[in-house]
Amino acid sequence: MRAIVSACLLGAPVRYDGGSKLNAAVAELASKLEVIRVCPEGSSGLPVPRPPAEQRDGRVWLQDGTDVTLQFEHGADIAFEAARRSGAPLAVLKAKSPSCGVHLIYDGTYTGRVIKGEGVLARRLEKEGICVVTEKTVESCKPSVEHPVAIVLGSGLGHLGQLVKPVRRIDYHDIEGFPQSARPIAGHSFEATVGSIDDVPVIVYPGRIHLYQGYSAAEVTSLVRHAFRLGCRDIIFACATGAVPGNAHKGLGIITDQINLTGRNPLADWDELRDVDTPFVDMSTAYSPYLRTIARGVADDLGIAVEEGVLAGVLGPSFETPAEVAALGKLGVSYTGMSTVNEVIMARALGMNVLGLTLAANDAGAADTTHETVLAEAKKHGSDFESLVRGVLHLL
Ligand code: SF4
């Protein structure tokens, strides 16, 4: 996988003051990728050292009052061309810079204050459809023993749990909020494993409960709150779904967004919100663009066929009618399933980074779909699914 990276994050002495500051998390990520280093300010021809630059009123100024907008645009042209030629889907750029900043940049007062806005290069890369993040995103997604990656597995995908080098096991019935009476359906198991996969700290939950079994949205999201309390910041949800004909095919998919058609929302249960800052949660990027891009890159590198699309979460347990499938297709839905959407809402309310993977095990609305055919299809794609998850863990 290729990625564009701000040269200064890798310790290159390209800063305006001639200094350099290596970012350890970005350097570690870069060591696993094919990296295209860019420094638009360096390419601009401006001397180093020189006064710092900031953006104000859409123009770039040095602290001594010199307008250097044209130089910054020239440097961005050079860096953008290198980025475009490389075909890299991801850019990790230095936060707040007037060239590289993403969503927040220094405001032109030289006081360290930031305002909403894009760096000159960042804006161009985003327009090109490249996923642009800062070092903060890389740092926040980096797992550790204190911050393991949570992996919640759906029907037929629980075998991934066998890859875990276990440290301890947790019976779901010992998890706060998990219903004591719940028993696993076929293809699920109710014992979480804390440990590591390929030396990456993880907690794997190899099964879940569903709204259609009569449980509340608060109960089905109890595993998410448990993961959060154990320190997890990244959470990978995997679920079996139906592929909506015309929008997706059977096989593996990366979930890009969701439509919650279950009629439930875990944030409407005010008793379960003690870890949540506000129930009015921003869902504009519910599925982390960074994690999605990493997953796509891993799939492409490994030659694993993966599609991408929107998940519609329905209550179930009956499968969809032809009319419902047609309606979902018109709504732009690729996958339909009976889990995940409420869990993703809870995870976002807790500030967790979400990756959603799905195995479309049947065509939505197909007459011959049974729980057994879903499990059989899951088995067929099991090894690709495992490789995809391991590849993602390797890059975090
Ligand atoms: S923030 Fe961007 S333009 Fe500035 S020194 Fe770093 S790489 Fe160069």
Side-chain angles (χ1 to χ4, degrees):
M1 179 177 174
R2 291 183 181 154
I4 302 141
V5 181
S6 290
C8 63
L9 289 173
L10 299 175
V14 290
R15 283 158 47 99
Y16 67 93
D17 58 1
S20 66
K21 206 171 178 190
L22 180 94
N23 180 285
V26 176
E28 191 189 332
L29 173 69
S31 71
K32 300 170 190 166
L33 301 175
E34 194 181 322
V35 166
I36 299 95
R37 289 180 179 222
V38 293
C39 175
E41 291 183 39
S43 305
S44 71
L46 288 166
V48 175
R50 57 174 170 73
E54 297 191 359
Q55 273 199 50
R56 187 171 66 250
D57 304 327
R59 301 197 70 78
V60 187
W61 307 87
L62 296 186
Q63 196 170 17
D64 65 8
T66 313
D67 183 339
V68 288
T69 310
L70 285 181
Q71 290 91 326
F72 265 60
E73 283 176 354
H74 173 65
D77 283 344
I78 293 170
F80 176 74
E81 207 31 54
R84 207 184 50 78
R85 268 200 316 271
S86 74
L90 174 70
V92 183
L93 301 186
K94 173 84 181 142
K96 303 175 192 167
S97 148
S99 285
C100 293
V102 184
H103 307 326
L104 289 173
I105 46 173
Y106 288 123
D107 72 349
T109 59
Y110 304 94
T111 57
R113 277 210 319 251
V114 289
I115 49 170
K116 280 190 182 167
E118 307 297 318
V120 180
L121 173 64
R123 193 184 313 129
R124 290 190 195 181
L125 295 178
E126 285 185 326
K127 212 165 156 199
E128 186 72 6
I130 292 168
C131 172
V132 186
V133 300
T134 71
E135 69 272 26
K136 307 284 175 220
T137 302
V138 178
E139 287 167 346
S140 96
C141 290
K142 193 171 165 42
S144 63
V145 174
E146 294 76 29
H147 301 298
V149 180
I151 306 175
V152 183
L153 299 166
S155 293
L157 299 168
H159 50 80
L160 190 92
Q162 290 160 16
L163 296 178
V164 184
K165 200 167 148 194
V167 173
R168 70 184 169 108
R169 299 188 193 278
I170 302 169
D171 187 319
Y172 280 15
H173 298 97
D174 294 332
I175 291 175
E176 189 182 339
F178 190 82
Q180 289 302 310
S181 59
R183 296 290 171 265
I185 57 172
H188 291 246
S189 144
F190 279 179
E191 189 178 63
T193 307
V194 181
S196 59
I197 296 179
D198 304 332
D199 294 328
V200 178
V202 295
I203 305 173
V204 175
Y205 300 88
R208 42 157 71 100
I209 53 173
H210 304 83
L211 295 169
Y212 66 71
Q213 294 170 283
Y215 300 114
S216 68
E219 287 170 322
V220 302
T221 55
S222 56
L223 302 181
V224 179
R225 290 190 298 280
H226 180 254
F228 174 76
R229 287 171 195 154
L230 288 189
C232 299
R233 295 186 303 202
D234 301 335
I235 188 159
I236 301 175
F237 293 105
C239 57
T241 54
V244 176
N247 291 353
H249 299 93
K250 285 200 280 184
L252 293 175
I254 299 168
I255 302 170
T256 55
D257 203 347
Q258 69 179 32
I259 302 178
N260 180 5
L261 298 175
T262 65
R264 314 284 168 79
N265 190 311
L267 304 181
D269 189 333
W270 293 81
D271 289 341
E272 292 296 336
L273 299 183
R274 73 170 192 268
D275 296 316
V276 171
D277 289 338
T278 171
F280 305 107
V281 178
D282 176 2
M283 293 291 287
S284 57
T285 47
Y287 294 84
S288 159
Y290 174 67
L291 296 180
R292 277 162 40 201
T293 305
I294 295 263
R296 172 90 258 163
V298 168
D300 290 349
D301 283 356
L302 297 178
I304 298 171
V306 176
E307 295 185 353
E308 296 183 28
V310 173
L311 167 70
V314 297
L315 182 61
S318 53
F319 290 113
E320 298 77 17
T321 65
E324 287 166 342
V325 174
L328 290 171
K330 289 205 167 105
L331 284 175
V333 170
S334 294
Y335 306 107
T336 172
M338 302 170 196
S339 67
T340 306
V341 290
N342 280 282
E343 292 153 277
V344 169
I345 291 170
M346 179 52 76
R348 290 304 299 144
L350 295 168
M352 300 171 87
N353 308 306
V354 173
L355 175 64
L357 301 175
T358 187
L359 170 69
N362 60 285
D363 286 323
D368 55 352
T369 303
T370 64
H371 195 64
E372 287 63 43
T373 60
V374 169
L375 296 185
E377 194 69 22
K379 201 166 173 193
K380 222 160 80 184
H381 294 275
S383 110
D384 275 353
F385 174 70
E386 257 176 47
S387 304
L388 181 58
V389 172
R390 290 175 91 159
V392 169
L393 292 176
H394 172 67
L395 290 184
L396 291 181

